[in-house]
Amino acid sequence: MPINKEALELRKKVAEHRPDFVRQESWRYAKLAETWRKPKGMDNHQRKQKKGWPALVRVGYGGPKIARGLHPSGFTDNLVYNLKDLEKLDPKKDGVRFGHGVGKKKRSEIITKALEKNFKVFNARVSASGSKS
């Protein structure tokens, strides 16, 4: 059973009513991806919020405050670069994600320590050769 279950359910409920934010005219041209870009043209219909055009990204569409920063598992997502960072966290509510710059040697040390303390590790996948799989 995930922790912060109520917050995750509330976030899911709010997300159901959030529109799909798409880049303007991405449906018209194959070269344009659907990833959101703010419309900036002077006469842009989407920027002017004309009827029939997709919604703009705005503050009011944000999720609930209690669910911000939560991993889908319910734990908070924390970047860890060394063992000192790991000591500051609580294994009952904090999850661990290794920073990009953490090397193979330090990563293996942190993994063993994190597993001893029963931390939820989000990106611990390291094979025997050391490369991520």
Side-chain angles (χ1 to χ4, degrees):
M1 181 175 134
I3 63 171
N4 295 319
K5 190 173 181 181
E6 299 84 19
L8 292 174
E9 287 174 1
L10 184 61
R11 179 167 70 183
K12 188 176 180 181
K13 185 178 159 189
V14 169
E16 288 172 358
H17 298 287
R18 188 179 300 132
D20 295 326
F21 298 113
V22 294
R23 185 177 183 173
Q24 69 272 15
E25 304 208 352
S26 61
W27 56 89
R28 187 173 182 189
Y29 302 107
K31 64 185 175 183
L32 294 180
E34 286 191 1
T35 54
W36 172 253
R37 296 290 185 273
K38 183 171 181 165
K40 295 180 180 168
M42 182 188 288
D43 298 323
N44 191 290
H45 292 303
Q46 189 173 2
R47 183 188 63 78
K48 290 180 172 181
Q49 300 174 34
K50 296 265 185 164
K51 193 159 83 171
W53 285 79
L56 288 178
V57 173
R58 281 178 287 177
V59 171
Y61 289 116
K65 209 174 234 185
I66 59 169
R68 288 193 200 143
L70 288 182
H71 187 266
S73 64
F75 291 90
T76 58
D77 204 345
N78 298 286
L79 271 177
V80 171
Y81 293 96
N82 52 43
L83 287 171
K84 198 183 289 184
D85 292 343
L86 193 66
E87 292 168 4
K88 298 174 188 174
L89 303 176
D90 177 20
K92 292 183 178 169
K93 61 179 182 169
D94 295 326
V96 174
R97 183 180 308 280
F98 299 112
H100 176 73
V102 179
K104 178 181 168 184
K105 185 170 140 187
K106 195 184 287 184
R107 181 180 291 252
S108 63
E109 289 175 13
I110 297 172
I111 286 175
T112 55
K113 194 77 167 176
L115 292 177
E116 283 175 16
K117 293 186 173 186
N118 296 324
F119 275 101
K120 172 85 169 165
V121 183
F122 300 132
N123 60 347
R125 296 174 299 158
V126 177
S127 63
S129 64
S131 64
K132 289 186 211 171
S133 55

